[in-house]
Amino acid sequence: MSTVATLTREQVGSIRLNEPPLSAVSLKDELAALATGCQAFDQEDFALAIETFQTIADTSKVHFNISSCYLNLGQNSEAVAALDDALELDKHLAVAYFQRGVTWFLDGGYEEALDDFDNTLVQLRGNQHIDYNQ
């Protein structure tokens, strides 16, 4: 059984994808950062998880993970911003529309929530549930 290396808080702080070209960061470092972020999330260290996820390539799934951290911290406006970023990168990410709709609903943004729930249904394309294996 193989193990996945994780990074210390200091190592996470030293990884900045926005400074060097993306190709300068190895896949191994990126996967280690992802594992560290997921481990931090599981341990409810959401601040470290956010810091770690922000060092990883700019993808919709990473932004969705960041939004989940913000939601656990009760920072709904930051979660919505992260979901906005996720949807900028993937307009078909139904789960992001759904989660943003729930967040809007909880904050009293009923019109925004309705729009996001409608977009969720459109992106589900007739399916009754979100397929996380896609």
Side-chain angles (χ1 to χ4, degrees):
M1 182 166 129
S2 66
T3 60
V4 177
T6 58
L7 305 175
T8 65
R9 191 177 291 268
E10 291 77 28
Q11 289 170 317
V12 168
S14 71
I15 299 173
R16 294 288 175 241
L17 291 182
N18 294 334
E19 293 173 8
L22 185 59
S23 62
V25 176
S26 73
L27 178 59
K28 179 181 175 183
D29 288 342
E30 195 166 321
L31 291 173
L34 180 61
T36 299
C38 291
Q39 183 177 43
F41 184 91
D42 289 344
Q43 294 172 351
E44 299 185 9
D45 187 349
F46 302 117
L48 176 60
I50 291 167
E51 181 182 343
T52 305
F53 288 140
Q54 288 174 336
T55 68
I56 300 173
D58 197 24
T59 69
S60 60
K61 291 178 183 180
V62 169
H63 287 290
F64 185 84
N65 289 348
I66 292 169
S67 75
S68 297
C69 295
Y70 281 127
L71 288 169
N72 276 284
L73 292 170
Q75 297 175 5
N76 290 4
S77 61
E78 290 85 351
V80 167
L83 290 164
D84 290 344
D85 292 340
L87 290 165
E88 282 287 318
L89 295 168
D90 184 354
K91 299 277 189 218
H92 304 288
L93 191 60
V95 68
Y97 285 111
F98 179 78
Q99 189 60 60
R100 193 173 66 177
V102 169
T103 306
W104 280 122
F105 182 84
L106 293 173
D107 283 348
Y110 303 118
E111 291 298 319
E112 294 90 345
L114 182 59
D115 287 343
D116 278 340
F117 292 144
D118 285 342
N119 281 322
T120 301
L121 291 174
V122 168
Q123 297 311 318
L124 285 174
R125 298 181 299 271
N127 294 304
Q128 296 299 312
H129 64 278
I130 296 171
D131 182 358
Y132 294 99
N133 294 317
Q134 290 184 353

